[in-house]
Every structure is written in structure tokens, then in C-alpha cells.
Amino acid sequence: METIIQVKDVGKTFIGKENTVEALKGINLDIHKGEIYGIIGMSGAGKSTLVRCLNFLEKPTTGTVVVEGKDLAALSGKELRQIRMQIAMIFQHFNLLMQRTVLDNICFPLEIAGQKKKKARQRAKELLEIVGLSEKAGAYPAQLSGGQKQRVAIARALATNPKILLCDEATSALDPTTTKSILALLKDINEKYGITIIIITHEMAVVQEICTHVAIIDGGCLAETGTVEEVFTRPRTRAARKLVFQGGTESGEIGRNLATGKRCIRIVFRENSSFEPVIGNMVLACKEPANILLADTKDIGGVAHGQMILQLPEDEAVAEKMIAYLKERKLEVEELEHYVG
Ligand code: ADP
């Protein structure tokens, strides 16, 4: 798949009067077209700094950021502004213009881009329909709920037809139900318009819900990258385990050991099995890791095909819970008596 953003050895150091902060150290990332890529880390890990480096709102101290084959450091001011039009951003606190109506908020970037008022309003109306808020065109931001405000921000972000959408803690101020609806909207936009989405968050549940890939940032370093399923089922680093099992009973440390049980099962994915990252979700729901001993699956148009062999945790109750979880999702589960890899 074609790379859309390549981050090579990026470091960022803030030098203040009193102290120096190394916010990012040697970050390498490859984000491909059409992915929904999660960047997750605890507060202060360097996520916002990294996302700001992706559009050069923050210039890295070292390393390069290449967007669609263009090294951002080598661009003139005008070229940089042009490429920034391709990279839209939404924020935790929406950043809407409070004095303008919903429609005028969406028209704003189009007016800046020099579009005629009539055409801008036409486009803004289309965008409001996409985000499901047509009836609020004349309302002011203060009259909207948090979720509605974020929908307006998304419509505004899409106004200039960007190729990339950066979401910086875009759901962190929203309740869980609203979060789900906003994430569903983002997924829909990704699928319908092929926009690459980068989600910055401190919540694993957000990554689990829509991301295909994830990078874990810890103390300014990249701790781990991979598909969501890989990282969820086999978090290799302490930072990853802490995030995957956040909310667990032992302050995030239950993932320290891999599953040690002897029970092995084979799961068969058939045409009708849905491919939410099933294993990742199961691990999250049961708060215990399971080892993937063998995986031979393909994701064809969002549907999983193939089989997987899992080693379940020692704890019988948890093992049973996992089997029930998988069966509930209509997967074929077969117990393997003497699996020896
Ligand atoms: P996160 O988004 O993961 O919470 P940030 O990228 O905001 O983390 O911050 C990473 C580190 O860099 C923190 O220690 C923060 O204090 C520091 N930092 C961020 N921006 C600046 C800045 N403009 N000047 C000085 N230090 C900063």
C-alpha cells in the first residue's frame, strides 16, 4: 500500500529558559493511504507534539517528515500552505468560531481558500448533510451539544477535500455514547472518501473501536507499532501492556506474563464472521492475554477468512469467558486436546 506519511528519525527538543524537554526521540512511522492510524500514549508522552510535526505546525529538531513524497522541510512557505490544505485537523475542544453560525463556520476555510460565497455555502450544506446536521445550519455553536460541535468541526475539516485528517483527542471531551457515534462517522468518512485518518488519543477503547494500526508513544519514544490486533493480543512492551490493560485490576500489570494455560482452541472465521478486531476485543473484555499460536487469516473487504489457534489463560473462568465471547460472535470454536504447535 502506498505510504502517505513517512516520519523518519524525528526528534523534538523544546529549549526553555529554565529547562530543556526532549519531547520526541528518534520516531519512525510509516502511515499508508486509507489507514485509520492510532497514536496512543499517556498524558505528556509526546502525542500532540508528534501530530503537530506531521503538518509542521511544529518543526522537528531532527529527522524528516515526508507527506505524499514531499519532504516538508524542503518546501517553500507557499508550498507548505498548499500541502497543509491536504491535512485537516480536529481538536478536543472543537475550536469553532462562536460568533458564526454552523454554516458560516464551515464556509470559513472555503472563504480563506478564495471560494465564492454562494459556492462555499452550497458545499457547506453538502458537508452538513454528510455529518448529519442539516437542521442546525443556522444555529450557533453555543446552542449545540459536544457531539454536534465535533460534527461541525469535522464538516469544516472536510471542506477543502483533505487527504489526511488529524484528530487530536477529538473524543476526549465526549461521553462514551457520543464518542462511539463520532468514531462511526470518522470510519464512514474514511471508507466513503478514502481519507487517511490519524487518531491521537490516550484511550485504548478509541483505538480498538476504529483503528487498523497503532503506534504507542512512551516518554517521547516509539514503544511499539503494529496492527491493532497484534498489539492488543501480544503487547511486547510495558508501555503497551499498561495501555491495553488500563482499567484492569492490578494497575495495568496483568499483561506482564503471556497466557500460560494449556487449553488451546481453534477458531474458524467463515464468510459470515464479522471482523471487528475480535481477538483484541476479547482480550480487552476479559482483561487477560491469550497467545496466538497460529494465525492464517485474511481480511477480505472487512470480512475475516481463515483460522487461528489460541492458547487460553490458566484461569478456567477467564478461559470459559473467552470461549463464550467468541461463540457469541458466531465464530466456530473447537477445543484442541493435544496441540503441540
Ligand atoms: P501529550 O500530547 O502526549 O500529552 P505533549 O506532546 O503535549 O504530550 O508533550 C510532551 C512533552 O513536551 C511534555 O513534557 C510537555 O511538557 C512538553 N512540551 C510540549 N510542548 C511544549 C512547548 N511548546 N514548550 C516546552 N515544552 C513543551
Short mmCIF file of all heavy atoms in Angstrom, two decimals, residues 15-71:
data_model
loop_
_atom_site.label_atom_id
_atom_site.label_comp_id
_atom_site.label_asym_id
_atom_site.label_seq_id
_atom_site.Cartn_x
_atom_site.Cartn_y
_atom_site.Cartn_z
N ILE A 15 13.60 24.00 24.04
CA ILE A 15 14.62 24.60 24.92
C ILE A 15 14.02 25.84 25.57
O ILE A 15 13.66 26.81 24.89
CB ILE A 15 15.89 24.96 24.12
CG1 ILE A 15 16.44 23.66 23.49
CG2 ILE A 15 16.94 25.62 25.01
CD1 ILE A 15 17.57 23.86 22.53
N GLY A 16 13.83 25.78 26.88
CA GLY A 16 13.27 26.90 27.61
C GLY A 16 14.37 27.61 28.39
O GLY A 16 15.53 27.20 28.33
N LYS A 17 13.99 28.68 29.08
CA LYS A 17 14.97 29.42 29.89
C LYS A 17 15.44 28.54 31.04
O LYS A 17 16.62 28.50 31.38
CB LYS A 17 14.34 30.69 30.45
CG LYS A 17 14.28 31.79 29.42
CD LYS A 17 14.17 33.17 30.10
CE LYS A 17 14.01 34.26 29.07
NZ LYS A 17 12.68 34.82 28.99
N GLU A 18 14.50 27.84 31.63
CA GLU A 18 14.80 27.06 32.84
C GLU A 18 15.26 25.64 32.53
O GLU A 18 16.15 25.12 33.16
CB GLU A 18 13.55 26.96 33.71
CG GLU A 18 12.77 28.24 33.84
CD GLU A 18 13.08 28.96 35.12
OE1 GLU A 18 12.56 28.51 36.14
OE2 GLU A 18 13.85 29.96 35.07
N ASN A 19 14.56 25.04 31.55
CA ASN A 19 14.88 23.62 31.28
C ASN A 19 14.71 23.25 29.81
O ASN A 19 14.19 24.01 29.02
CB ASN A 19 14.03 22.70 32.17
CG ASN A 19 12.56 22.88 31.87
OD1 ASN A 19 12.17 23.82 31.16
ND2 ASN A 19 11.75 21.99 32.36
N THR A 20 15.18 22.06 29.52
CA THR A 20 15.08 21.55 28.15
C THR A 20 14.24 20.28 28.19
O THR A 20 14.45 19.42 29.04
CB THR A 20 16.50 21.21 27.65
OG1 THR A 20 17.24 22.42 27.65
CG2 THR A 20 16.50 20.63 26.25
N VAL A 21 13.26 20.18 27.29
CA VAL A 21 12.42 18.97 27.25
C VAL A 21 12.62 18.26 25.92
O VAL A 21 12.43 18.85 24.85
CB VAL A 21 10.92 19.32 27.40
CG1 VAL A 21 10.06 18.05 27.39
CG2 VAL A 21 10.66 20.11 28.66
N GLU A 22 13.03 17.01 26.01
CA GLU A 22 13.14 16.21 24.79
C GLU A 22 11.78 15.53 24.60
O GLU A 22 11.53 14.45 25.13
CB GLU A 22 14.22 15.14 25.00
CG GLU A 22 15.34 15.25 24.00
CD GLU A 22 16.30 14.08 24.13
OE1 GLU A 22 16.78 13.83 25.25
OE2 GLU A 22 16.54 13.43 23.10
N ALA A 23 10.89 16.19 23.86
CA ALA A 23 9.52 15.70 23.75
C ALA A 23 9.41 14.50 22.82
O ALA A 23 8.55 13.64 23.01
CB ALA A 23 8.60 16.82 23.27
N LEU A 24 10.26 14.43 21.79
CA LEU A 24 10.25 13.28 20.88
C LEU A 24 11.67 12.83 20.61
O LEU A 24 12.57 13.67 20.45
CB LEU A 24 9.59 13.65 19.54
CG LEU A 24 8.12 14.04 19.54
CD1 LEU A 24 7.70 14.50 18.15
CD2 LEU A 24 7.23 12.88 20.01
N LYS A 25 11.85 11.52 20.56
CA LYS A 25 13.20 10.98 20.31
C LYS A 25 13.16 9.89 19.24
O LYS A 25 12.45 8.89 19.42
CB LYS A 25 13.77 10.36 21.59
CG LYS A 25 13.99 11.35 22.71
CD LYS A 25 14.26 10.64 24.02
CE LYS A 25 13.35 11.18 25.09
NZ LYS A 25 13.40 10.48 26.36
N GLY A 26 13.84 10.09 18.15
CA GLY A 26 14.01 9.07 17.10
C GLY A 26 12.74 8.34 16.69
O GLY A 26 12.69 7.11 16.65
N ILE A 27 11.70 9.11 16.33
CA ILE A 27 10.43 8.47 15.94
C ILE A 27 10.43 8.09 14.45
O ILE A 27 10.76 8.92 13.60
CB ILE A 27 9.24 9.44 16.19
CG1 ILE A 27 9.19 9.91 17.64
CG2 ILE A 27 7.92 8.81 15.74
CD1 ILE A 27 8.64 8.94 18.62
N ASN A 28 10.09 6.86 14.18
CA ASN A 28 9.94 6.37 12.80
C ASN A 28 8.54 5.80 12.63
O ASN A 28 8.13 4.94 13.40
CB ASN A 28 10.95 5.27 12.50
CG ASN A 28 12.35 5.83 12.41
OD1 ASN A 28 12.67 6.57 11.48
ND2 ASN A 28 13.17 5.51 13.39
N LEU A 29 7.84 6.31 11.62
CA LEU A 29 6.47 5.83 11.37
C LEU A 29 6.21 5.81 9.87
O LEU A 29 6.67 6.70 9.15
CB LEU A 29 5.44 6.82 11.94
CG LEU A 29 5.05 6.84 13.38
CD1 LEU A 29 3.95 7.88 13.56
CD2 LEU A 29 4.57 5.48 13.85
N ASP A 30 5.46 4.82 9.43
CA ASP A 30 5.00 4.79 8.04
C ASP A 30 3.50 4.66 8.07
O ASP A 30 2.97 3.67 8.56
CB ASP A 30 5.56 3.54 7.32
CG ASP A 30 6.86 3.86 6.62
OD1 ASP A 30 6.91 4.90 5.93
OD2 ASP A 30 7.80 3.08 6.77
N ILE A 31 2.82 5.66 7.57
CA ILE A 31 1.36 5.60 7.55
C ILE A 31 0.93 5.48 6.09
O ILE A 31 1.39 6.24 5.23
CB ILE A 31 0.76 6.84 8.24
CG1 ILE A 31 1.24 6.87 9.70
CG2 ILE A 31 -0.77 6.83 8.16
CD1 ILE A 31 0.87 8.10 10.47
N HIS A 32 0.08 4.49 5.84
CA HIS A 32 -0.32 4.24 4.45
C HIS A 32 -1.67 4.85 4.13
O HIS A 32 -2.50 5.06 5.02
CB HIS A 32 -0.36 2.72 4.19
CG HIS A 32 0.97 2.07 4.39
ND1 HIS A 32 1.29 1.37 5.52
CD2 HIS A 32 2.08 2.08 3.62
CE1 HIS A 32 2.53 0.95 5.43
NE2 HIS A 32 3.04 1.36 4.29
N LYS A 33 -1.86 5.11 2.85
CA LYS A 33 -3.13 5.68 2.35
C LYS A 33 -4.32 4.85 2.80
O LYS A 33 -4.29 3.63 2.70
CB LYS A 33 -3.10 5.70 0.83
CG LYS A 33 -2.95 7.08 0.32
CD LYS A 33 -3.06 7.22 -1.15
CE LYS A 33 -2.51 8.61 -1.44
NZ LYS A 33 -1.97 8.78 -2.75
N GLY A 34 -5.32 5.52 3.32
CA GLY A 34 -6.56 4.84 3.66
C GLY A 34 -6.57 4.20 5.04
O GLY A 34 -7.61 3.68 5.46
N GLU A 35 -5.46 4.26 5.74
CA GLU A 35 -5.44 3.66 7.09
C GLU A 35 -6.15 4.56 8.10
O GLU A 35 -6.26 5.77 7.90
CB GLU A 35 -3.99 3.46 7.56
CG GLU A 35 -3.36 2.21 6.98
CD GLU A 35 -1.88 2.04 7.36
OE1 GLU A 35 -1.28 2.95 7.97
OE2 GLU A 35 -1.34 0.99 7.03
N ILE A 36 -6.61 3.93 9.17
CA ILE A 36 -7.01 4.72 10.34
C ILE A 36 -5.96 4.37 11.38
O ILE A 36 -5.91 3.25 11.90
CB ILE A 36 -8.42 4.38 10.85
CG1 ILE A 36 -9.45 4.55 9.73
CG2 ILE A 36 -8.78 5.25 12.05
CD1 ILE A 36 -10.90 4.37 10.17
N TYR A 37 -5.06 5.30 11.61
CA TYR A 37 -3.86 5.02 12.39
C TYR A 37 -3.97 5.67 13.77
O TYR A 37 -4.19 6.87 13.88
CB TYR A 37 -2.66 5.61 11.63
CG TYR A 37 -1.34 4.96 11.98
CD1 TYR A 37 -0.74 4.07 11.11
CD2 TYR A 37 -0.72 5.24 13.20
CE1 TYR A 37 0.47 3.47 11.44
CE2 TYR A 37 0.47 4.64 13.53
CZ TYR A 37 1.07 3.76 12.64
OH TYR A 37 2.26 3.16 12.97
N GLY A 38 -3.87 4.88 14.79
CA GLY A 38 -3.95 5.42 16.15
C GLY A 38 -2.57 5.71 16.70
O GLY A 38 -1.65 4.93 16.52
N ILE A 39 -2.44 6.86 17.34
CA ILE A 39 -1.20 7.15 18.08
C ILE A 39 -1.63 7.33 19.53
O ILE A 39 -2.42 8.22 19.86
CB ILE A 39 -0.50 8.42 17.55
CG1 ILE A 39 -0.07 8.17 16.09
CG2 ILE A 39 0.70 8.79 18.41
CD1 ILE A 39 0.55 9.37 15.41
N ILE A 40 -1.17 6.42 20.36
CA ILE A 40 -1.68 6.40 21.73
C ILE A 40 -0.54 6.48 22.73
O ILE A 40 0.56 5.98 22.50
CB ILE A 40 -2.55 5.12 21.95
CG1 ILE A 40 -3.14 5.09 23.35
CG2 ILE A 40 -1.80 3.84 21.66
CD1 ILE A 40 -4.26 4.12 23.54
N GLY A 41 -0.82 7.13 23.84
CA GLY A 41 0.18 7.24 24.89
C GLY A 41 -0.43 7.96 26.08
O GLY A 41 -1.49 8.59 25.96
N MET A 42 0.25 7.87 27.20
CA MET A 42 -0.22 8.55 28.40
C MET A 42 -0.05 10.07 28.20
O MET A 42 0.68 10.50 27.31
CB MET A 42 0.61 8.13 29.61
CG MET A 42 0.53 6.64 29.91
SD MET A 42 -1.09 6.24 30.58
CE MET A 42 -0.93 4.49 30.82
N SER A 43 -0.65 10.83 29.08
CA SER A 43 -0.52 12.28 29.02
C SER A 43 0.97 12.66 29.16
O SER A 43 1.68 12.09 29.97
CB SER A 43 -1.35 12.86 30.16
OG SER A 43 -1.19 14.22 30.20
N GLY A 44 1.42 13.57 28.32
CA GLY A 44 2.81 14.02 28.37
C GLY A 44 3.77 13.14 27.58
O GLY A 44 4.98 13.41 27.54
N ALA A 45 3.24 12.12 26.92
CA ALA A 45 4.11 11.18 26.19
C ALA A 45 4.72 11.79 24.93
O ALA A 45 5.74 11.32 24.44
CB ALA A 45 3.31 9.93 25.82
N GLY A 46 4.06 12.83 24.40
CA GLY A 46 4.59 13.47 23.19
C GLY A 46 3.65 13.36 21.99
O GLY A 46 4.03 13.72 20.88
N LYS A 47 2.41 12.93 22.22
CA LYS A 47 1.48 12.70 21.10
C LYS A 47 1.16 13.99 20.34
O LYS A 47 1.23 14.01 19.12
CB LYS A 47 0.15 12.12 21.63
CG LYS A 47 0.29 10.85 22.43
CD LYS A 47 -1.06 10.36 22.91
CE LYS A 47 -1.77 11.27 23.91
NZ LYS A 47 -1.11 11.38 25.22
N SER A 48 0.81 15.04 21.10
CA SER A 48 0.43 16.29 20.42
C SER A 48 1.60 16.87 19.67
O SER A 48 1.45 17.39 18.57
CB SER A 48 -0.08 17.31 21.44
OG SER A 48 -1.29 16.85 21.95
N THR A 49 2.78 16.76 20.27
CA THR A 49 3.98 17.27 19.60
C THR A 49 4.17 16.51 18.29
O THR A 49 4.43 17.10 17.24
CB THR A 49 5.22 17.12 20.51
OG1 THR A 49 4.92 17.73 21.77
CG2 THR A 49 6.44 17.76 19.89
N LEU A 50 4.01 15.21 18.34
CA LEU A 50 4.18 14.40 17.13
C LEU A 50 3.17 14.78 16.06
O LEU A 50 3.52 14.98 14.90
CB LEU A 50 4.06 12.90 17.49
CG LEU A 50 4.13 11.94 16.30
CD1 LEU A 50 5.45 12.08 15.54
CD2 LEU A 50 3.98 10.49 16.76
N VAL A 51 1.91 14.93 16.47
CA VAL A 51 0.89 15.22 15.46
C VAL A 51 1.12 16.61 14.86
O VAL A 51 0.91 16.83 13.67
CB VAL A 51 -0.53 15.02 16.03
CG1 VAL A 51 -1.02 16.17 16.84
CG2 VAL A 51 -1.49 14.71 14.92
N ARG A 52 1.63 17.53 15.67
CA ARG A 52 1.93 18.87 15.15
C ARG A 52 3.13 18.86 14.22
O ARG A 52 3.27 19.73 13.36
CB ARG A 52 2.13 19.85 16.31
CG ARG A 52 0.81 20.17 17.05
CD ARG A 52 1.06 20.84 18.38
NE ARG A 52 1.68 22.14 18.22
CZ ARG A 52 1.03 23.25 17.93
NH1 ARG A 52 -0.28 23.21 17.77
NH2 ARG A 52 1.67 24.39 17.79
N CYS A 53 4.01 17.87 14.41
CA CYS A 53 5.15 17.72 13.49
C CYS A 53 4.69 17.21 12.12
O CYS A 53 5.35 17.43 11.12
CB CYS A 53 6.20 16.76 14.06
SG CYS A 53 7.19 17.48 15.38
N LEU A 54 3.54 16.51 12.11
CA LEU A 54 3.07 15.93 10.84
C LEU A 54 2.63 16.99 9.84
O LEU A 54 2.61 16.74 8.64
CB LEU A 54 1.92 14.94 11.08
CG LEU A 54 2.21 13.73 11.96
CD1 LEU A 54 1.00 12.81 12.03
CD2 LEU A 54 3.42 12.95 11.44
N ASN A 55 2.21 18.15 10.34
CA ASN A 55 1.86 19.23 9.40
C ASN A 55 2.79 20.44 9.58
O ASN A 55 2.50 21.51 9.09
CB ASN A 55 0.39 19.62 9.53
CG ASN A 55 0.02 20.02 10.94
OD1 ASN A 55 0.88 20.16 11.79
ND2 ASN A 55 -1.26 20.21 11.18
N PHE A 56 3.86 20.22 10.30
CA PHE A 56 4.88 21.26 10.51
C PHE A 56 4.35 22.49 11.25
O PHE A 56 4.87 23.58 11.09
CB PHE A 56 5.53 21.66 9.18
CG PHE A 56 6.90 21.04 9.01
CD1 PHE A 56 7.12 19.71 9.35
CD2 PHE A 56 7.97 21.79 8.53
CE1 PHE A 56 8.37 19.12 9.21
CE2 PHE A 56 9.24 21.21 8.39
CZ PHE A 56 9.43 19.88 8.73
N LEU A 57 3.27 22.31 12.04
CA LEU A 57 2.90 23.38 12.96
C LEU A 57 4.04 23.48 13.96
O LEU A 57 4.29 24.50 14.58
CB LEU A 57 1.60 23.04 13.68
CG LEU A 57 0.32 23.27 12.90
CD1 LEU A 57 -0.89 22.83 13.70
CD2 LEU A 57 0.19 24.72 12.46
N GLU A 58 4.70 22.35 14.16
CA GLU A 58 5.89 22.25 14.99
C GLU A 58 6.99 21.70 14.08
O GLU A 58 6.76 20.68 13.43
CB GLU A 58 5.60 21.26 16.13
CG GLU A 58 6.38 21.43 17.37
CD GLU A 58 5.91 22.62 18.19
OE1 GLU A 58 4.88 22.51 18.89
OE2 GLU A 58 6.59 23.65 18.10
N LYS A 59 8.11 22.40 14.02
CA LYS A 59 9.21 21.88 13.18
C LYS A 59 10.06 20.93 13.99
O LYS A 59 10.54 21.28 15.07
CB LYS A 59 10.08 23.03 12.68
CG LYS A 59 9.46 23.80 11.56
CD LYS A 59 10.54 24.39 10.65
CE LYS A 59 9.94 24.96 9.39
NZ LYS A 59 9.41 26.29 9.52
N PRO A 60 10.26 19.71 13.50
CA PRO A 60 11.11 18.78 14.26
C PRO A 60 12.54 19.34 14.40
O PRO A 60 13.00 20.05 13.52
CB PRO A 60 11.12 17.52 13.39
CG PRO A 60 10.00 17.66 12.43
CD PRO A 60 9.74 19.11 12.27
N THR A 61 13.17 19.01 15.51
CA THR A 61 14.56 19.44 15.71
C THR A 61 15.48 18.59 14.84
O THR A 61 16.46 19.09 14.29
CB THR A 61 14.95 19.28 17.20
OG1 THR A 61 13.87 19.75 17.99
CG2 THR A 61 16.21 20.04 17.53
N THR A 62 15.15 17.30 14.75
CA THR A 62 15.93 16.41 13.89
C THR A 62 14.98 15.53 13.08
O THR A 62 13.81 15.40 13.42
CB THR A 62 16.82 15.45 14.72
OG1 THR A 62 15.96 14.73 15.62
CG2 THR A 62 17.87 16.19 15.52
N GLY A 63 15.49 14.94 12.02
CA GLY A 63 14.71 13.99 11.23
C GLY A 63 13.84 14.66 10.18
O GLY A 63 13.86 15.88 10.03
N THR A 64 13.09 13.84 9.44
CA THR A 64 12.28 14.37 8.35
C THR A 64 10.84 13.85 8.41
O THR A 64 10.58 12.77 8.92
CB THR A 64 12.84 13.95 6.96
OG1 THR A 64 13.02 12.54 6.96
CG2 THR A 64 14.14 14.63 6.64
N VAL A 65 9.94 14.68 7.87
CA VAL A 65 8.55 14.27 7.71
C VAL A 65 8.23 14.39 6.23
O VAL A 65 8.40 15.47 5.64
CB VAL A 65 7.60 15.17 8.52
CG1 VAL A 65 6.14 14.78 8.27
CG2 VAL A 65 7.91 15.10 10.01
N VAL A 66 7.85 13.28 5.62
CA VAL A 66 7.56 13.27 4.19
C VAL A 66 6.06 13.00 4.01
O VAL A 66 5.55 11.99 4.50
CB VAL A 66 8.39 12.18 3.47
CG1 VAL A 66 8.08 12.15 1.98
CG2 VAL A 66 9.88 12.40 3.71
N VAL A 67 5.36 13.95 3.38
CA VAL A 67 3.93 13.77 3.14
C VAL A 67 3.71 13.69 1.63
O VAL A 67 4.11 14.60 0.89
CB VAL A 67 3.10 14.93 3.74
CG1 VAL A 67 1.63 14.77 3.42
CG2 VAL A 67 3.31 15.01 5.25
N GLU A 68 3.10 12.60 1.19
CA GLU A 68 2.89 12.36 -0.24
C GLU A 68 4.17 12.59 -1.03
O GLU A 68 4.17 13.28 -2.06
CB GLU A 68 1.78 13.27 -0.75
CG GLU A 68 0.44 12.89 -0.18
CD GLU A 68 -0.65 12.95 -1.23
OE1 GLU A 68 -0.86 14.06 -1.75
OE2 GLU A 68 -1.25 11.91 -1.53
N GLY A 69 5.25 12.06 -0.53
CA GLY A 69 6.52 12.12 -1.26
C GLY A 69 7.26 13.44 -1.10
O GLY A 69 8.36 13.62 -1.65
N LYS A 70 6.68 14.41 -0.37
CA LYS A 70 7.34 15.72 -0.24
C LYS A 70 7.92 15.89 1.16
O LYS A 70 7.20 15.76 2.16
CB LYS A 70 6.34 16.84 -0.51
CG LYS A 70 5.92 16.87 -1.95
CD LYS A 70 5.17 18.17 -2.25
CE LYS A 70 4.80 18.22 -3.70
NZ LYS A 70 3.36 18.23 -3.94
N ASP A 71 9.22 16.18 1.21
CA ASP A 71 9.89 16.45 2.48
C ASP A 71 9.45 17.85 2.94
O ASP A 71 9.79 18.85 2.30
CB ASP A 71 11.40 16.38 2.24
CG ASP A 71 12.19 16.72 3.49
OD1 ASP A 71 11.58 17.12 4.51
OD2 ASP A 71 13.43 16.60 3.45
#
